[in-house]
Amino acid sequence: MNFRIAAPTLPKALRWRPPSLCAVCHDWGRQRVCDPCLLRFAPAIRRCRRCALAVPPGVTACGRCVTAPPAFERTLAAFDYAYPWDGLLVRFKFAAALDLAPLLAARLDDAIAANDAPSPSLVLPVPLGPQRLRERGYNQAWELARRLATRRGCAANARLLLRVRDAPHQIALPAAERAANVRGAFAVEPLRRGDLDGQCVALVDDVMTTGATADEAARVLLQAGAASVQVWVAARTPAPRDA
């Protein structure tokens, strides 16, 4: 069953937050990464509307998305996968640093709000396979997705899109092998396919590298009846300098 999470109604000015050590500079602040570090390490970047790679001024889509567009229509990213976000996301993903989830979701929410992408009707996380979920104890994509659903006032569901085949971690594979690695990895819950009919879906993940995972998941969602798929990621891996 889809569920809708009511957004907090307490004014921001009245929401007291205890001091916190910045995860980057270790100075005291009011959030997990302090404002000076956010200003320094999270600059606004002009991105390809389709895949969120950095593009020059006046360009709306990178060459790859023009010649071979992915199944998803739009990608929104909070920052590049570079220092300090790369280390923080590794901790978030593999070391149960769930204290970073509110910050990452808030930064991604800011990136979503700053763009003109259509509002989704349903937010889904990229799923983990059962074995990997048992090993890790949580799905980092769901930790972001459920918080973004609250902020955006959308329905969210962690069990509609399934991972039916565990595959080697994408991070260990060359870019050319990543699409084949995730082919056939996803399916829609057979008894819930009707829940996707006509839905505008936001697919949430922590990092996009080549876009192969998001492309495969989006293809499955569209085949099951979704009207459109956009992708929300905390970080986008930059293109190689010689690409």
Side-chain angles (χ1 to χ4, degrees), residues 88-109:
L88 296 180
L89 282 162
V90 167
R91 287 167 52 191
F92 173 56
K93 185 171 185 174
F94 297 112
L98 297 180
D99 58 306
L100 295 171
L103 167 77
L104 296 171
R107 296 304 301 176
L108 182 47
D109 185 56

Side-chain angles (χ1 to χ4, degrees), residues 72-88:
F72 48 86
E73 294 184 356
R74 185 78 181 265
T75 301
L76 299 172
F79 30 71
D80 273 348
Y81 189 69
Y83 180 85
W85 308 109
D86 50 358
L88 296 180

